């Protein structure tokens, strides 16, 4: 009870601190103007995070577009198809992937991904595409592990009954097991999204950090987290408050993601009972 109470207290203190620092600036600027204005110029008291909001969403969605299908297919392979030895080797590699520091991913992106994009696709290489590639690699362990556990949690009777009715192994996977594990898979995707949108160091190193509205996936962008880490060291007054306000927007977004997870999980349980 003491441990749980301390945990809840820590969350409340963090929430109060972020909101106390960020809400006054949002109230002063106006919520709509703060979120959708595309001009960020602290020297002129212009605090619009529109470009950074677009940058965060573009990089995150780009990562999800390729990481979710690959992660789901890998999870299905590990849970239902792969031999035990292959499953164990893949599991070890995925755990290793999850333990690599984000700055190492950033270095990999800077040395390998960015030059590849620059030499083969054009532009400076620091872009939405580079960020999407690196973030996709970083969120793969989250998507794979949670999806795999959700698939394994489906009762064995579902598969046995499906096979007994004449379905093939692969038909049973796609039409019975995966739909039954839907709530867990949605949880994996949403948690991966939360990890991607909250990532900082790797994104700072490969996206170019330009406060512009991108016109292609090869354009440089700055995310909300990047903006906070790049400017917090020297910010003061309203500038510092604007960075805390950016953190407030991120905090609310993560809370909404968690609500989506809970609602999806409850819906999945109800559907399973039906």
């Amino acid at each position: 009870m003491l441990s749980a109470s301390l945990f809840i207290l820590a969350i409340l203190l963090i929430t109060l601190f972020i909101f106390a620092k960020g809400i006054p600036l949002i109230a002063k600027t106006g919520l709509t103007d703060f979120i959708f204005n595309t001009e960020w110029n602290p020297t002129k008291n212009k605090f619009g995070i529109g470009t950074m909001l677009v940058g965060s969403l573009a990089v995150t969605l780009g990562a999800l577009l390729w990481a979710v299908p690959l992660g789901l297919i890998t999870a299905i392979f590990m849970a239902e198809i792969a031999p035990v030895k292959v499953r164990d080797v893949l599991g070890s590699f995925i755990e290793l992937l999850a333990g690599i520091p984000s700055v190492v991913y950033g270095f990999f992106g800077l040395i390998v991904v960015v030059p590849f994009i620059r030499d083969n696709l054009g532009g400076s290489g620091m872009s939405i595409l580079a960020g999407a590639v690196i973030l996709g690699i970083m969120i793969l362990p989250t998507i794979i592990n949670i999806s795999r556990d959700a698939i394994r949690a489906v009762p064995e009777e579902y598969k046995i009954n499906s096979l007994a009715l004449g379905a093939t192994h692969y038909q049973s996977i796609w039409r019975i097991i995966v739909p039954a594990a839907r709530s867990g898979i949605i949880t994996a995707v949403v948690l991966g999204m939360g990890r991607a949108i909250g990532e900082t160091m790797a994104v700072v190193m490969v996206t170019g950090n330009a406060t512009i509205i991108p016109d292609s996936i090869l354009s440089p962008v700055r995310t909300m987290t990047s903006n906070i880490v790049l400017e917090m060291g020297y910010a003061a007054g309203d500038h510092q408050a604007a960075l805390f306000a950016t953190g407030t927007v991120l905090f609310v977004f993560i809370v909404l993601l968690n609500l989506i997870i809970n609602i999806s999980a409850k819906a999945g349980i109800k559907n399973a009972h039906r």
Side-chain angles (χ1 to χ4, degrees):
M1 179 63 73
L2 178 61
S3 299
S5 299
L6 289 174
F7 179 75
I8 294 171
L9 179 61
I11 295 295
L12 289 175
L13 288 175
I14 291 171
T15 304
L16 290 174
F17 178 76
I18 293 175
F19 275 77
K21 290 285 188 176
I23 291 296
L25 190 282
I26 294 176
K28 180 179 179 180
T29 306
L31 180 60
T32 303
D33 192 47
F34 180 73
I35 293 178
F36 297 109
N37 193 327
T38 58
E39 184 178 0
W40 177 267
N41 192 343
T43 58
K44 296 182 180 179
N45 288 323
K46 299 291 185 179
F47 303 110
I49 63 170
T51 55
M52 289 163 278
L53 179 62
V54 171
S56 295
L57 292 176
V59 174
T60 301
L61 292 176
L64 291 173
L65 279 175
W66 74 269
V68 170
L70 179 60
L72 180 56
I73 291 171
T74 305
I76 293 170
F77 176 74
M78 292 178 65
E80 292 292 332
I81 300 171
V84 175
K85 290 184 178 180
V86 175
R87 186 185 308 165
D88 292 341
V89 171
L90 277 175
S92 298
F93 277 111
I94 291 168
E95 294 300 328
L96 179 64
L97 201 64
I100 297 174
S102 61
V103 69
V104 176
Y105 284 108
F107 274 121
F108 172 77
L110 198 60
I111 295 170
V112 178
V113 178
V114 169
F116 179 84
I117 293 174
R118 182 174 60 241
D119 296 339
N120 293 277
L121 299 176
S124 66
M126 293 188 174
S127 58
I128 293 173
L129 181 59
V133 170
I134 296 302
L135 280 183
I137 297 173
M138 294 179 70
I139 66 176
L140 272 175
T142 300
I143 295 172
I144 292 172
N145 286 332
I146 298 176
S147 297
R148 180 189 59 194
D149 292 342
I151 292 169
R152 286 180 176 175
V154 175
E156 187 71 17
E157 290 80 5
Y158 287 23
K159 181 179 178 181
I160 293 173
N161 293 336
S162 177
L163 294 173
L165 289 171
T168 65
H169 185 196
Y170 291 99
Q171 287 175 331
S172 299
I173 290 172
W174 289 109
R175 297 188 180 184
I176 304 297
I177 297 174
V178 171
R182 182 178 59 184
S183 63
I185 293 170
I186 292 174
T187 299
V189 173
V190 175
L191 287 177
M193 184 187 300
R195 168 77 192 278
I197 205 166
E199 179 53 45
T200 305
M201 285 307 302
V203 176
V204 168
M205 298 172 73
V206 300
T207 55
N209 303 306
T211 54
I212 59 173
I213 297 293
D215 55 10
S216 75
I217 61 173
L218 300 178
S219 298
V221 291
R222 177 182 290 191
T223 64
M224 291 185 286
T225 52
S226 298
N227 192 53
I228 294 171
V229 75
L230 288 171
E231 300 189 8
M232 185 58 79
Y234 62 86
D238 283 349
H239 185 191
Q240 187 182 69
L243 297 178
F244 276 107
T246 305
T248 303
V249 173
L250 275 170
F251 184 87
V252 171
F253 188 81
I254 296 299
V255 169
L256 291 175
L257 286 180
N258 286 325
L259 288 175
I260 291 172
I261 291 173
N262 291 329
I263 293 171
S264 299
K266 290 178 181 178
I269 292 173
K270 289 180 180 179
N271 290 331
H273 288 164
R274 290 174 184 174

